[in-house]
Amino acid sequence: MEPRSFYDITEPEDRRELAQLVKVGVFSYAVLIPEDLPRRDVEDVFREAGFLHVEIDASGWPRQITVKTEKGVFTFRKVEEGVYKINRAD
């Protein structure tokens, strides 16, 4: 699957695509996340990607969100208002 330039975390179809990209380790896109931080939508992406343990740390919101799973830690970092880049910490 070739990633688009951005995905909206509040859109179910975008969440499904994001889950597939996260699952295969592709992070070359931006994610639109609204100010009210839909934690459930973020969690759904990782659950659909196949992770059983999903813990969200929003203590750095709105600068960043960290998602801890049994297979690694993923961070969404703010690049501009409402736009985040995701990466995986090894």
Side-chain angles (χ1 to χ4, degrees):
M1 173 188 331
E2 183 69 28
R4 294 183 284 154
S5 57
F6 67 89
Y7 294 87
D8 184 340
I9 199 120
T10 64
E11 293 294 325
E13 184 176 322
D14 283 9
R15 284 196 304 274
R16 281 190 293 280
E17 286 185 40
L18 270 172
Q20 292 305 309
L21 293 169
V22 167
K23 189 176 195 172
V24 298
V26 175
F27 305 111
S28 59
Y29 47 84
V31 181
L32 306 178
I33 304 175
E35 183 87 14
D36 63 349
L37 181 56
R39 293 172 79 105
R40 183 68 183 177
D41 292 343
V42 174
E43 187 176 313
D44 286 349
V45 166
F46 289 88
R47 293 219 183 274
E48 190 163 329
F51 299 106
L52 301 176
H53 173 77
V54 178
E55 179 184 332
I56 296 177
D57 177 0
S59 61
W61 182 256
R63 291 181 328 278
Q64 74 177 32
I65 309 162
T66 301
V67 181
K68 298 173 185 172
T69 72
E70 69 273 11
K71 294 186 179 175
V73 176
F74 301 82
T75 303
F76 291 87
R77 292 191 199 289
K78 185 176 186 176
V79 292
E80 63 182 67
E81 192 65 38
V83 180
Y84 294 78
K85 292 291 278 185
I86 182 174
N87 63 38
R88 180 177 179 176
D90 293 322

